[in-house]
Amino acid sequence: MEQSNPASKKDKIFYIATSNLLNFALPNRSYYANMQPYTDHQYQKKLTVPYELSKNDKPDIYAFQEVWDEKALQDLAVKLGFEPSQVLAPVASNDPSSALTAGRGAQDTPALGIISKHKVLEWQLLTDFPDLAVIDIPDVGLYKRFNRPPLVAMIEVYGQPITVITAHLKSKRPYYLRDEQGNRLEDYDDPLLRVRAKLRSLCMRAAEAAALRLFMIDILHNTRHPLILLGDMNDVTDSVTTQLLAETSEVIYDKAMRDVALFDAARVQTSYGWMKDVAYTHLYQGMPEVIDQLFVSEEFLVDGKFSLGEVERVDYFNDHLKHDYEDRYSDHGIVRAKIKLK
């Protein structure tokens, strides 16, 4: 009688994680005009801490936000056990032949990146909003493009194509008006203007969430295709903007919505479910919250009709957030999920 291979199920386990690296740039490279470039020592620290946090169970797929230089991400990838060729950060490319950057890395705002030990079949950047997501921002005008284009990769994991999307949505920070030279046009100390500036930021984040949601519905609707969305969504799981992305709550009223809804991996994990109640990935004005999200489609629900796998565990790495700000490599924690395919 033929014996089953006890390692076969283990072989279909993979880890996927997300981390905002907080202005991850090469040393001696200017990224913001008001920020000093990193020294070689500071750069080495930026490389070391993410490695120390995830060295025991290093992810197979890792999504990153706030990447200025693809070469820096390649340096981190090698430290984490990847090959430089497994790094994808097109908007931060340091290759002089790049049509997007001409080798200068990201400009004006940091970019997104993915490193993967599994084969990337294809990738794309999301730039323009669908018409249904375009809105008029107060005092600014039509908002119709992503400020930081989400990175979409189709990755083959043990023969199963999975769409992985990493995004970094507009922050809660007030959006004040400036002139073309970058000079302030509004009084930052005026509490009434501060409210209007926060309203602009909220509108921008909502439009980005809607645009990304519309894109994902096209992928998910009646396809049985697995999708993972992860990154810095800049608001908590049950916020209006994050639920605009996921629409998880709609499933309560309409079971058919499972087809296109996304589910918080921490809430659908099959072990250590209590961890979701004590987790945080960011301190916003001193308050701990989870704004770095990892969502999965219904194909990763263990009891799903069309289940292709399950989220076994979700871990949060955030000890560095307890340090003084100048001693942190980032102001965000790491979220990592262990997923088992059938």
Side-chain angles (χ1 to χ4, degrees):
M1 181 177 178
E2 184 178 347
Q3 298 293 316
S4 62
N5 180 4
S8 60
K9 287 191 175 182
K10 182 179 179 181
D11 289 342
K12 288 198 172 185
I13 288 173
F14 70 97
Y15 288 87
I16 182 168
T18 180
S19 178
N20 182 319
L21 294 173
L22 184 60
N23 292 322
F24 194 54
L26 289 170
N28 308 308
R29 187 262 216 232
S30 178
Y31 46 96
Y32 284 134
N34 62 342
M35 299 287 288
Q36 289 293 319
Y38 296 120
T39 65
D40 289 335
H41 174 74
Q42 289 171 323
Y43 179 66
Q44 289 303 318
K45 184 177 180 180
K46 293 282 281 188
L47 290 175
T48 299
V49 179
Y51 166 75
E52 291 294 332
L53 287 171
S54 23
K55 64 182 179 182
N56 292 327
D57 290 307
K58 288 178 284 189
D60 303 290
I61 303 169
Y62 213 147
F64 296 97
Q65 303 82 51
E66 296 208 21
V67 177
W68 287 95
D69 291 297
E70 187 177 46
K71 176 63 173 64
L73 198 55
Q74 289 172 341
D75 289 345
L76 177 59
V78 170
K79 202 168 184 67
L80 289 169
F82 293 81
E83 298 294 330
S85 60
Q86 295 173 322
V87 174
L88 178 64
V91 183
S93 175
N94 299 111
D95 182 350
S97 66
S98 168
L100 293 171
T101 69
R104 298 180 301 157
Q107 299 295 311
D108 301 323
T109 189
L112 296 115
I114 292 174
I115 57 178
S116 175
K117 292 182 179 177
H118 296 278
K119 184 179 180 181
V120 175
L121 300 175
E122 58 186 53
W123 63 269
Q124 65 174 301
L125 295 166
L126 303 185
T127 53
D128 297 329
F129 292 174
D131 289 342
L132 289 176
V134 175
I135 63 171
D136 201 339
I137 305 298
D139 314 310
V140 175
L142 291 181
Y143 193 58
K144 51 188 179 181
R145 290 175 60 87
F146 286 100
N147 185 41
R148 294 177 284 250
L151 178 58
V152 183
M154 179 86 76
I155 300 177
E156 185 179 53
V157 182
Y158 303 118
Q160 174 63 59
I162 300 172
T163 293
V164 176
I165 304 174
T166 184
H168 186 186
L169 301 190
K170 178 70 183 78
S171 72
K172 299 176 186 177
R173 187 178 303 113
Y175 185 89
Y176 289 102
L177 301 181
R178 294 174 177 266
D179 63 20
E180 293 182 358
Q181 288 70 45
N183 301 310
R184 297 180 181 181
L185 295 177
E186 294 180 311
D187 182 1
Y188 283 28
D189 296 323
D190 186 329
L192 301 181
L193 284 177
R194 183 176 65 248
V195 171
R196 191 162 182 83
K198 287 183 177 180
L199 174 62
R200 295 180 193 126
S201 294
L202 175 60
C203 291
M204 290 174 175
R205 187 165 64 257
E208 290 175 347
L212 184 50
R213 180 67 183 147
L214 291 169
F215 173 79
M216 293 188 295
I217 287 175
D218 282 342
I219 295 175
L220 294 170
H221 185 51
N222 291 334
T223 64
R224 314 304 172 210
H225 180 76
L227 183 148
I228 300 173
L229 169 68
L230 68 172
D232 180 0
M233 307 311 166
N234 261 313
D235 215 336
V236 296
T237 307
D238 293 321
S239 69
V240 172
T241 53
T242 306
Q243 279 304 305
L244 183 56
L245 271 174
E247 292 196 294
T248 316
S249 58
E250 296 296 327
V251 176
I252 298 173
Y253 307 102
D254 182 2
K255 297 301 182 186
M257 278 295 298
R258 287 168 67 111
D259 176 47
V260 293
L262 295 178
F263 301 85
D264 178 13
R267 295 180 179 180
V268 300
Q269 63 180 312
T270 55
S271 60
Y272 303 110
W274 55 270
M275 293 182 71
K276 68 178 184 295
D277 297 320
V278 297
Y280 66 93
T281 68
H282 184 66
L283 298 174
Y284 181 70
Q285 296 180 345
M287 297 299 295
E289 57 185 14
V290 176
I291 65 171
D292 301 271
Q293 313 285 355
L294 201 159
F295 286 102
V296 298
S297 62
E298 72 162 333
E299 287 74 22
F300 294 104
L301 301 184
V302 67
D303 60 348
K305 183 178 179 181
F306 304 103
S307 177
L308 298 173
E310 66 181 272
V311 180
E312 284 200 332
R313 192 177 77 240
V314 175
D315 298 304
Y316 296 85
F317 302 90
N318 53 24
D319 283 350
H320 61 286
L321 299 181
K322 302 170 186 175
H323 301 161
D324 292 338
Y325 189 85
E326 59 271 16
D327 294 328
R328 303 176 193 170
Y329 89 96
S330 173
D331 55 350
H332 288 253
I334 298 171
V335 185
R336 187 193 65 197
K338 177 186 180 184
I339 296 178
K340 180 172 69 175
L341 298 179
K342 290 183 176 179

